[in-house]
Structures are given as structure tokens and as C-alpha cells.
Amino acid sequence: MKNPTSFGNRLRCAGSLLVACGLLLPPRPVAAQIRLPRLISDGMILQRDAKVSIWGWAAAGEAVTVKFSGQTYRATTGPDGKWTIALPALKAGGPYEMNLDASNHLTVKDILVGDVWVCSGQSNMETPMSRVRDRYPDAVAQANNPMIRQFNVDLRYAFNGPKADLAGGRWVTTTPQNVLAFSAVGYFFAKTLFEKYHVPVGIIKSAVGGSPAEAWLSADALKAFPAYQQAAEKVKDSTYVARTIAQDQAASRMWYTNLRQQDQGEAKGTTPWYATTYNAADWKTMKIPGYWADQGLGPVNGVVWLRKEVEVPASMVGKPARLELGTIVDSDSVYINGQFAGTTGYQYPPRKYDLPATLLKPGRNLIVVRVINNSGKGGFTLDKQYRLTAGGQTLDLRGDWQYKLGAASQPAPGSTTFQYQPGGLFNGMIAPLLPYSIKGVLWYQGESNTSKPEEYQQLLTALIADWRTHWKQPKLPFIYAQLPNFMAVKEQPSESEWARLRESQRRTLAVPNTAMSVNIDLGEWNDIHPLAKEDVAKRLALAAEKVAYGESKIVSSGPLYQGMQVAGNKATLTFTNTGSGLVAKGGGPLKRFAVAGADNKFVWANARIEGNKVIVWSEQVATPVTVRYAWADNPEGANLYNKEGLPASPFTTAK
């Protein structure tokens, strides 16, 4: 017989090897630490008066215990490691703590219960309070309210199915510093609701500048739009996406590298054009604000340098200063007295450069701006602020500036913006929110769909139904902002894609439990991001009070077109939401009504209020067929309101 000890040792060694290889013994369950989604975290606001889901992940088959507000809840993870518990309807209040136990222990602190609104759309929803703080300095300074909180959803798109969690984000309490990153519309909306209902308000900002509506639709909803569904299928190919991104980035780098190498303003071995010692005696002049294509240089793309000497009094020196240069198409770098002072990478942000107290000097000061124009007309946007301020004094910088072309170039190569592709933002930025109970949706979007305005009614209707289905809230309140006035005023009746999209927005009100704020008087002709965000938010809050909070007696909207009757050469229009009565704001006649006969040729019309109706006519149109109101990109002077001060929505009577 062989030595049993030796045999046992060999068996133990063999067994150890087999166990290490996972071949001998059945696997034992391995505990995985409980993990929570980003939304379930310190400072969160839970929806009041509704069932609330709390969910997360752990090992398959693991027991999870949740203790909250004196109650204990238990769940067991499924094969996918996910667990969910449902809290009963909660009353507004807090703060609370939530304790979770599995193989580890977690505590979620400072929880409030109130109302949660998802704030979505494109850049006008994304626009932060920092962008509008000069307009609302007191609102920023007084923003100390722990009952108003924001969760910012980081940009993330996905094409191969919905994501289970967000890429980042946390709940942030309102303070003067924190509020600068809040959605301006979202914050003023929450502030208005809090001041009325005195319950905590959480806003989940999930918005992406420039995004079209189709990017926010699920795969199911895209089936109704074959072209978008086909585009969504194409971007499921991750190899194609990665290759395209790499090619676009390489082309962009090459364009900027070539531009930098060709730029005579920074050529090696020469005095840079921003230096105080550089001699610019041979430079020509142009008016600022303005575009160089209109002032002699022509429609050139590339680098243009501009400079202006200003006399700074001693009383402005030794103090912090600010340089304001409106907005610039497309990007800029600024130098003061030869020193770099700031840069902005794209056309939309206001150029507001804070300067140190040591930068200005008494007497002659030199301002130099290097502008890169990628395509179209480059230059400085009209009707903006161009000034230098310090110590309570202001120097006007409008007028003649010297300029010189640093380098000409073909327009910059285009690129594929993948966050705009159909379905991507739903999968990455909405799907992870769906288990979280909410009060409603606030939506400010549409600018990126103006090229196909009639389609927008179908898109927005589909989006509302899609989100309601996925949130499992068939009556989820959906409140949206109509596009404001924008672009140059036209003196004669004309066609307008922006007007047609506003009409699609107006007609979407046929969807139950929706409401729309009219903002036709809150835009800026020269800025797609108007600053009057508090007014927009207050009108959205009025709409929410009626649709989401049951305030049936309030007047929540301006007049909405209802119907038309024609007798002779006069059309009689009826409206809903007339409130205490119709008025022409500011007195005088009604403006911006146009009428057409069967030839569809529109002319300006006379219009007068009779009770809660408007009579429209023109001596040039014997039999009116169609009436339009405020039908333009920027219908300046449109003045039909109700006595509550809310403007009528633009409309056409055409079917």
C-alpha cells in the first residue's frame, strides 16, 4: 500500500488546482457590494404623493434591506443583479436619511420629498444662470434655498439600447455659487413654484444644445419615422461611429493647424500683431459691430485681426475691469496691452472678459482681437454691448477698429454631430431616469427642427406619448415653450419656417395634459439665446399650475386661436384663453394681422377687437380665405394680448 500521507498530499494539491480552475467544486455565491444609480444619492428630492421606486444593483439572489422614514423594505436581486422596492406615496417634507444593507451598508443623506421636474430640450433649456447673471444679479445673490435642487445629467448618447445609469451627475443645493450652473429656465420655474406651494422642487436638467427632437425618441417611437429609424440603425455600427469621429477630428485638427501656420499675425521671427510694439499704420478700418464681408474685406474665412487704441483715465486704473464684446462669429482670443485676456471657442456665448486690476494703465491702452471665422459671415454681432468698464465708468468701444487679414482659408470641414442622431439622447440621458418618479416634464426645444416645421407636430406628439409610456404615467404633464421671436424684422408679410414650427407647437396642444408658454415678445432679433429667461419660466409655471397642479381658475395662457367665420370681406376670429378680455397692448390698433384670398397672396390687414373676438379685413381682399397673425421669424409689434398680460400665440387659420 502506498503512503497514505503522500497520497493525501497529492490529492490536496490536485484539489487546490482543480478549485483554482473552477473544475472540482460547485461555485459559491459571491456577494457584490450594493450599488445605487446616480439619481439615488445624497441631496435627492423624491416625488411626493406618488409611488416612488428605489433601485440598484448587487449580486444575483442577494437580499437587500432599505430603511426609510421609520419603515423597512426588503427586496432580492434578480438574475441580472437588479433590485427594486416601491415606497408608498410620501408627503412633502424632510430632510430624511435612507439606510441600505446588503453585503455592505450605504446611507443616503439629506433627502427631501417634493416635486420633481425633468427639464429637457436644447440650448435654451441648457442655458445656465451664469449666462444671465448680469440681467438678474439680485436673483443670483439671493439664491440661498436648500428646498430647490438640481441634478445635471451629463452629456451621453448611446445607439445600441438604453443605458441603465447615467454617466455622472449629483444633486446640488441652491446657493449663489451653485446656482450659476443651474438651468436658468429650470431655476426660475422651480423658484416660482416654490414661492407658491412651499414644497421642495427638484429639477433634473437633461438638455443638449442644438439637439433635434428625434434624438430624444426611443427606438419604439422612431418606427413611425422611417428616415430617422434608418439613420438610427446606421449609427449602431460602433466601428463606423469611431471611424467617423476620428476622421472628423483629424480633418478639424488639420484645418486649425494649417490656419495657425499661415497666420501672419503670429508668424515666427516677426513681431506678433497683438504686441504693443507692433506697427499697424497700414491697417484699414471697419465699423464694430459689423461683419467684414460687408465692409471691404469680402466673404473671407480664416483669421482676421482687429485692434483699437483707447484712452483710459486714471480713475479707471487699479480696479478690476470688464471687457464686453457682444458676440463674435465664430471664435476669438483677446489681448490687452500685449497680454492675453481671454478666449471663447464658438459664436454664441456673450464675450464678457473680467480683467485684473493691474492690466489697464493710464492713457493709451491697446485692445487686440484675433477672430477665427469657420464659415459664413465673420465679425461682431450688431446691437450688442461693446464697452470697457472699471470703477463705475464706461468706455464705448463701438466705431472704427483697425483690421488686417491674418490668413484666408476654405470653410472649415463639416462633422457628424453624433449626439444629434436619432435615439441617442433618449438612450443615454432619458432611459436612466425612467424609474424615477416625476411630477412632469418641462421642454424647451424646436430651433433645430425648423428646417422641417410641419413634421414637428408629429415629432413632438410622438415624444410626449413615448415618454409617458416609458415613465408609465399616461397623463404625465408636459409643459413646453413656444419659440420666441428671432432674426431680422421683415416689413411685408412673408413665409417663415420659425412661424410654421410655432404653428406645429400650437397644434400640439390637442394632446391632453399639455400646455405651452407663448414667448413671441421675449426673444432678441440677434441672439438665438435670449436673456429673458425669468419671464419664460414664469409663463411655464403658470401653465404648470393649471395642468399639473389643478389650478383650474387661473388664466395660464394668452389667447389661442379657435375658429373663423367669414361674411363679405370680413373674417371674425374667436379665441380661447381670453381671460378678462382681449386688448391691444400699449393701445392703438392691432398689428401683424395679414389676410389672403384664394390666391394665397397675403397683405397686411386691419383688425379690431369686438368683445372676445377679432374682426379682420382688407380692402384688397374681397373674400378672406386665410388669416395669419404674427406670422414671421420676428413679428415685431404683434400686440394681441389678454388683460392678464399674456400674449396671443401666432397662428394661421389654414387647416
Side-chain angles (χ1 to χ4, degrees), residues 6 59-60 100 129 267 359 488 575 622:
S6 175
L100 304 99
M129 286 291 289
L359 193 53
F575 299 85

Side-chain angles (χ1 to χ4, degrees), residues 265-266 271-276 278 305 307 335 337-339 366 368:
E266 293 182 318
T271 302
W273 291 359
Y274 59 78
T276 56
Y278 176 78
W305 292 76
R307 52 186 279 147
Y335 301 85
N337 296 329
Q339 301 296 312
L366 175 65
V368 177

Side-chain angles (χ1 to χ4, degrees), residues 434-494:
L434 295 173
Y436 205 80
S437 296
I438 62 173
K439 181 72 172 180
V441 172
L442 210 61
W443 179 256
Y444 194 156
Q445 192 276 336
E447 299 92 334
S448 291
N449 288 92
T450 51
S451 63
K452 296 180 179 179
E454 279 74 30
E455 178 189 69
Y456 192 74
Q457 182 182 357
Q458 185 184 1
L459 278 171
L460 185 55
T461 300
L463 186 144
I464 295 167
D466 189 34
W467 288 19
R468 285 174 171 174
T469 296
H470 282 91
W471 251 292
K472 299 179 181 178
Q473 292 182 243
K475 296 182 179 180
L476 180 70
F478 195 99
I479 317 297
Y480 56 96
Q482 191 182 55
L483 293 187
N485 49 310
F486 176 53
M487 296 183 283
V489 175
K490 294 183 179 178
E491 296 304 320
Q492 296 301 320
S494 60

